[in-house]
Every structure is written in structure tokens, then in C-alpha cells.
């Protein structure tokens, strides 16, 4: 058990936002630290060795009670290499009503799944998983 504990302190999961280029470092739940560069940031520092063949994910979450650190009830993240969508999403990533978030999530999910560019997808409402999908291994 001690070895597992040590390993988790040696490695940190790091994410880079494809829109703003900010880095997010996971310091064990619930702490997430953000790093913002002082100058223009290369938004592709953490790209996959698979390049355009990398399959990303989409994640949507709704909370009836807005947390202090959040500006809207719902968020939708498209973390794929596919930026062109057939239809325009109504909420543009941030949502104030559940129905629009749910509609945009399924529209995005179906389009990206058909393009074969996602490896998993998840929709949550008040911490309950409403929809979850992943590639078969």
C-alpha cells in the first residue's frame, strides 16, 4: 500500500486547454491547479504522438447549484482534433438550461462518433452519469 501511495505522489496528470492554452495539474482530488503563461502560449504542447489520428473525448456536466468557481450550471468540453461541426451548438460550451446542454451533447456526440474521432464520452447531471460511451477494447 505504501508503494502505491508513493507512486501517486511521483506522477501528476496534466491537461492543456485547446482553446486558451492554460495548463491544469491534477494534485489529487479535488485540487486542480492552473498555470497560465505570461505570453502567447503554444496551445499544442501536449499533443499526442498519434497526431490527427488521436481520438479525444467529450464531457458534459450539469449542476443545479453552481459552484463558486464556475460561472454557469452546465459545461460541454470537446477535447478532440475535430473543430468543424455540421451544426452550431447553442450553448457555446457554457449552459444555463439543462435541455440545451443535453441536446448539444448528443448532437456533438453523434457527429464525432460518426467521424470516428472520439474514444469516450460522458454526460453527467448533478454528479449522476446520464450517458457514457467508450470504444471497445
Amino acid at each position: 500500500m505504501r508503494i502505491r501511495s508513493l507512486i501517486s505522489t511521483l506522477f501528476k496528470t496534466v491537461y492543456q486547454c485547446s482553446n486558451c492554452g492554460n495548463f491544469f495539474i491534477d494534485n489529487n482530488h479535488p485540487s486542480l491547479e492552473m498555470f497560465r503563461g505570461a505570453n502567447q502560449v503554444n496551445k499544442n504542447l501536449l499533443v499526442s504522438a498519434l497526431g490527427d489520428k488521436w481520438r479525444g473525448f467529450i464531457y458534459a456536466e450539469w449542476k443545479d447549484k453552481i459552484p463558486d468557481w464556475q460561472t454557469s450550471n452546465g459545461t460541454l468540453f470537446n477535447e478532440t482534433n475535430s473543430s468543424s461541426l455540421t451544426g452550431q451548438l447553442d450553448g457555446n460550451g457554457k449552459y444555463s438550461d439543462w435541455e440545451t446542454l443535453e441536446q448539444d451533447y448528443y448532437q456533438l456526440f453523434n457527429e464525432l462518433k460518426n467521424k470516428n474521432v472520439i474514444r469516450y464520452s460522458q454526460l453527467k447531471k448533478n454528479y449522476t452519469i446520464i450517458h457514457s460511451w467508450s470504444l471497445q477494447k
Side-chain angles (χ1 to χ4, degrees):
M1 189 65 157
R2 174 104 168 99
I3 291 173
R4 189 176 299 159
S5 174
L6 287 172
I7 289 173
S8 69
T9 61
L10 296 174
F11 297 96
K12 302 290 181 193
T13 303
V14 178
Y15 308 93
Q16 184 179 23
C17 176
S18 57
N19 292 325
C20 64
N22 293 343
F23 286 95
F24 297 89
I25 303 165
D26 189 355
N27 284 329
N28 300 324
H29 184 73
S31 179
L32 192 65
E33 292 186 36
M34 183 183 80
F35 172 78
R36 178 180 296 144
N39 299 318
Q40 187 71 7
V41 176
N42 179 347
K43 297 178 184 176
N44 296 312
L45 287 175
L46 299 179
V47 295
S48 169
L50 298 174
D52 289 340
K53 294 180 182 172
W54 176 78
R55 291 182 179 162
F57 62 92
I58 56 175
Y59 177 79
E61 185 170 30
W62 175 268
K63 295 176 183 145
D64 286 337
K65 185 176 186 304
I66 302 174
D68 294 337
W69 52 269
Q70 204 167 317
T71 58
S72 62
N73 294 85
T75 53
L76 175 59
F77 299 99
N78 173 7
E79 293 299 325
T80 67
N81 290 333
S82 182
S83 58
S84 63
L85 299 172
T86 304
Q88 182 65 27
L89 301 178
D90 293 333
N92 199 24
K94 296 183 178 187
Y95 296 83
S96 59
D97 71 279
W98 163 251
E99 289 78 17
T100 305
L101 171 61
E102 184 180 34
Q103 175 185 326
D104 282 1
Y105 168 82
Y106 283 111
Q107 177 185 338
L108 182 62
F109 167 73
N110 287 320
E111 182 168 345
L112 296 178
K113 183 178 177 215
N114 289 337
K115 286 183 174 183
N116 203 26
V117 296
I118 57 174
R119 69 180 184 273
Y120 72 88
S121 179
Q122 190 172 75
L123 172 64
K124 286 184 176 181
K125 184 176 184 182
N126 296 318
Y127 306 99
T128 300
I129 297 173
I130 303 299
H131 176 259
S132 184
W133 175 89
S134 65
L135 281 174
Q136 297 295 322
K137 293 184 179 188

